[in-house]
Amino acid sequence: QVQLAESGGGLVQPGGSLRLSCAISGSSLDWHAIGWFRQTPGKEREGISCFSSSDGSTYYANSVKGRFTISRDNAENTVYLQMGSLKPEDTAVYYCAADPDYYCSEHGMFAIDFRSWGQGTQVTVSS
């Protein structure tokens, strides 16, 4: 199993931008998909973006499509989530997750499909 560490969260004003990082420790052979999820108190963890390493395919939830971009830096073994046009409803704890078998799909993504998780980073969008 890989180990994941998120960073880059913080406080940002509405309309602002943040870039989250997911540092991956372990062999690239140990994961195929990286997913970004977010969670607010009392709600289920929401899958918002996914990246498949075999073909570079991506997925975005409707709630973030057009505003967030997922990307990978091979040299740094890091997956990023660039977040723009942030809204107060984007406030949440953001998690990255990895799985060796999962393929990103346009049909959505669910936390149960990912085996390895980071500890999360808080993003707060507020004026």
Side-chain angles (χ1 to χ4, degrees), residues 1 8 13 23 32 38 53-54 57 64 71 76 79 83 91 96 100 104 107 111 120 122 125:
Q1 267 188 331
Q13 291 187 343
H32 177 262
R38 65 187 182 186
S53 61
S54 59
S57 60
V64 305
S71 63
E76 298 293 331
V79 173
M83 307 187 296
T91 295
C96 65
C104 302
H107 302 297
Q122 175 71 45
V125 185

Side-chain angles (χ1 to χ4, degrees), residues 1-4 24-31 34 77 97-99 115-117:
Q1 267 188 331
V2 296
Q3 291 186 326
L4 308 173
I24 306 165
S25 299
S27 170
S28 60
L29 298 177
D30 292 331
W31 66 272
I34 293 288
N77 211 22
D99 193 84
R115 300 184 201 181
S116 301
W117 290 84

Side-chain angles (χ1 to χ4, degrees), residues 35-124:
W36 282 98
F37 292 77
R38 65 187 182 186
Q39 190 170 26
T40 54
K43 293 191 176 181
E44 289 188 2
R45 202 162 287 192
E46 176 192 12
I48 58 173
S49 186
C50 183
F51 172 87
S52 292
S53 61
S54 59
D55 60 3
S57 60
T58 58
Y59 160 82
Y60 297 96
N62 287 335
S63 58
V64 305
K65 194 173 295 183
R67 300 188 297 124
F68 291 10
T69 303
I70 192 169
S71 63
R72 175 187 181 183
D73 184 326
N74 288 335
E76 298 293 331
N77 211 22
T78 300
V79 173
Y80 299 101
L81 185 68
Q82 179 69 47
M83 307 187 296
S85 301
L86 284 163
K87 307 173 182 179
E89 51 264 44
D90 294 317
T91 295
V93 178
Y94 284 70
Y95 300 88
C96 65
D99 193 84
D101 301 317
Y102 187 77
Y103 280 74
C104 302
S105 163
E106 63 182 12
H107 302 297
M109 50 190 289
F110 301 94
I112 195 172
D113 292 323
F114 289 79
R115 300 184 201 181
S116 301
W117 290 84
Q119 293 299 308
T121 185
Q122 175 71 45
V123 172
T124 302

